[in-house]
Amino acid sequence: MFNPIDALLGLFSLDIGIDLGTANTLVYVRGKGIVINESSWVAREVHSRRILAVGSSAKEMVGKTPTGIVAVRPLRDGVVSEFDVTEYMLRYFIRQAHKEIPLLKPRPRVVVGVPSGVTEVEKRAVRDATLEAGAREVYLIEEPLAAAIGAGLPITEPRGSMIVDIGGGTTEVAVFALTGIVVSKSLRIAGDEFDEDIVQYARQKYNVAISERMAERLKINIGSAYPLPEELTMAMRGRGLLSGLPEEIEVSSIEIREAMSRSVGIIVELVRDTLDETPPELIADLMETGICLAGGGGQLRGLAERISEETHIRAWVAQDPLTCVARGAGAVLENFELLRPALSVDDHRYPGGSASY
């Protein structure tokens, strides 16, 4: 039913594109660009479930919280695992995007990126959480398509283009032509799995327990998927499993590459499988345009070279790969009628949400 108050608030609300990622959440505001880039973490009290911190401030608490407080990720493998916490986090980010507009109850139109392999139930959870967070309209766009738009690939043209979007929880590989996905594959192995591989490697080889944050720093600073021109080293700090005391060990990029080799190999095989199902005419196009890498995991050193060697097709990293999905969602908002076919067509419009502030 038409609500004139919501309609009036909608006039003053912003159009927002959200990359609701397992590791990071990015918010694009139409006409402004990306205004929020925060970690997808929430800190809360265990018994009362009262939210204490959201985003990067909550991530800083990971592994350091006292009894009674826990830092959690409300999304796992790119999908909602804790509905109420996800709703609160979205509401917080929507209000942050509207902080320059003195409204108590913003009603934005929102485009949200979701993994291509999620079920209808998981899509519904994202829609409902966004509506409860205050959106008046919710549109879903598949993340590989949003990443391709954000990377500037010519997806509306009849020639083929290909994206490998490696996030925190999922890896998406897709081939496009004429604004549609021709072949796509999704795998729930990505950046988080790289971190877990490093944690297990430290435990098995050195009998040292390290945190996920330490593993993430090792991955970012010296991790690679292909031999480097000059190998790197870094101090790995953790607790000795035998002594129970703090230990510091110098590890090399060769060791971190070995630790991540299984997960990297699975992603490379996923790219090969996708190419195997791609029509020959589009393969010819891909040999010209190459394979674009996006997402935080796409920044892994040497990954483009590894994929190029395995597929015999040039691979390249998108400009600012971490923000590709958010920029793609924003591009849809900027050119809504032109790119509307890229959005989910099933029940993507709803009346205003019911969130209260």
Side-chain angles (χ1 to χ4, degrees):
M1 185 175 67
F2 177 75
N3 187 326
I5 296 177
D6 270 345
L8 181 61
L9 290 174
L11 293 175
F12 294 96
S13 294
L14 303 171
D15 287 345
I16 295 176
I18 299 178
D19 174 10
L20 191 60
T22 303
N24 296 283
T25 296
L26 292 88
V27 178
Y28 181 105
V29 173
R30 182 180 180 183
K32 294 184 178 181
I34 294 173
V35 298
I36 294 172
N37 183 353
E38 294 264 10
S39 300
S40 299
W41 284 90
V42 175
R44 70 181 183 195
E45 292 182 343
V46 174
H47 298 298
S48 67
R49 298 182 68 86
R50 184 168 66 91
I51 304 297
L52 302 177
V54 178
S56 299
S57 57
K59 185 179 180 180
E60 290 297 320
M61 299 181 183
V62 176
K64 305 173 184 178
T65 55
T67 304
I69 298 176
V70 62
V72 298
R73 275 180 169 177
L75 295 111
R76 285 288 175 184
D77 299 328
V79 298
V80 175
S81 61
E82 297 198 39
F83 184 89
D84 57 335
V85 182
T86 302
E87 176 202 328
Y88 189 98
M89 185 175 73
L90 282 168
R91 186 186 310 164
Y92 172 82
F93 289 139
I94 288 173
R95 291 192 67 183
Q96 286 294 103
H98 283 81
K99 64 182 179 181
E100 296 179 3
I101 304 175
L103 287 177
L104 293 177
K105 200 174 183 182
R107 282 281 182 259
R109 176 169 62 178
V110 180
V111 174
V112 186
V114 293
S116 60
V118 299
T119 66
E120 287 302 315
V121 172
E122 290 166 338
K123 286 182 180 179
R124 174 68 65 176
V126 173
R127 286 195 190 97
D128 290 350
T130 309
L131 286 168
E132 290 298 321
R136 73 179 189 275
E137 296 178 32
V138 178
Y139 298 84
L140 303 184
I141 183 170
E142 294 186 345
E143 285 179 355
L145 189 54
I149 295 171
L153 297 183
I155 66 164
T156 59
E157 299 180 11
R159 59 183 174 134
S161 53
M162 184 174 185
I163 191 108
V164 180
D165 179 22
I166 306 173
T170 59
T171 295
E172 314 268 350
V173 183
V175 177
F176 309 93
L178 296 170
T179 322
I181 297 177
V182 180
V183 182
S184 72
K185 289 186 177 292
S186 180
L187 185 70
R188 295 190 177 184
I189 291 179
D192 288 349
E193 195 72 18
F194 295 162
D195 297 342
E196 182 59 31
D197 288 344
I198 295 170
V199 169
Q200 293 303 320
Y201 184 86
R203 179 179 291 269
Q204 293 168 8
K205 182 170 182 178
Y206 292 108
N207 281 320
V208 172
I210 64 172
S211 67
E212 289 185 4
R213 294 194 65 188
M214 182 75 247
E216 184 181 31
R217 287 197 290 271
L218 288 166
K219 175 186 70 178
I220 292 171
N221 292 328
I222 65 172
S224 67
Y226 196 78
L228 302 176
E230 184 177 344
E231 300 293 350
L232 307 170
T233 61
M234 180 178 168
M236 178 178 70
R237 298 186 179 94
R239 174 174 52 82
L241 294 174
L242 299 179
S243 66
L245 300 174
E247 291 190 20
E248 179 178 309
I249 301 169
E250 195 82 5
V251 294
S252 70
S253 52
I254 298 173
E255 293 176 285
I256 302 303
R257 185 164 60 249
E258 179 186 345
M260 298 188 298
S261 61
R262 183 191 68 86
S263 296
V264 170
I266 291 173
I267 290 173
V268 171
E269 191 61 33
L270 186 71
V271 175
R272 290 169 60 100
D273 290 345
T274 305
L275 288 171
D276 187 49
E277 296 182 16
T278 302
E281 192 62 35
L282 292 181
I283 289 289
D285 293 337
L286 296 180
M287 294 182 74
E288 293 182 15
T289 59
I291 300 171
C292 177
L293 304 186
Q299 300 176 97
L300 182 66
R301 291 179 184 84
L303 184 58
E305 290 86 346
R306 172 74 181 275
I307 291 176
S308 296
E309 183 179 271
E310 296 275 353
T311 63
H312 301 163
I313 296 176
R314 177 180 65 91
W316 51 282
V317 181
Q319 183 178 4
D320 198 5
L322 185 63
T323 66
C324 281
V325 172
R327 286 188 284 119
V332 171
L333 293 168
E334 303 284 357
N335 305 276
F336 194 74
E337 292 306 319
L338 176 64
L339 294 174
R340 189 166 182 163
L343 302 171
S344 293
V345 296
D346 52 327
D347 294 312
H348 57 255
R349 181 166 183 163
Y350 293 84
S354 59
S356 58
Y357 295 87

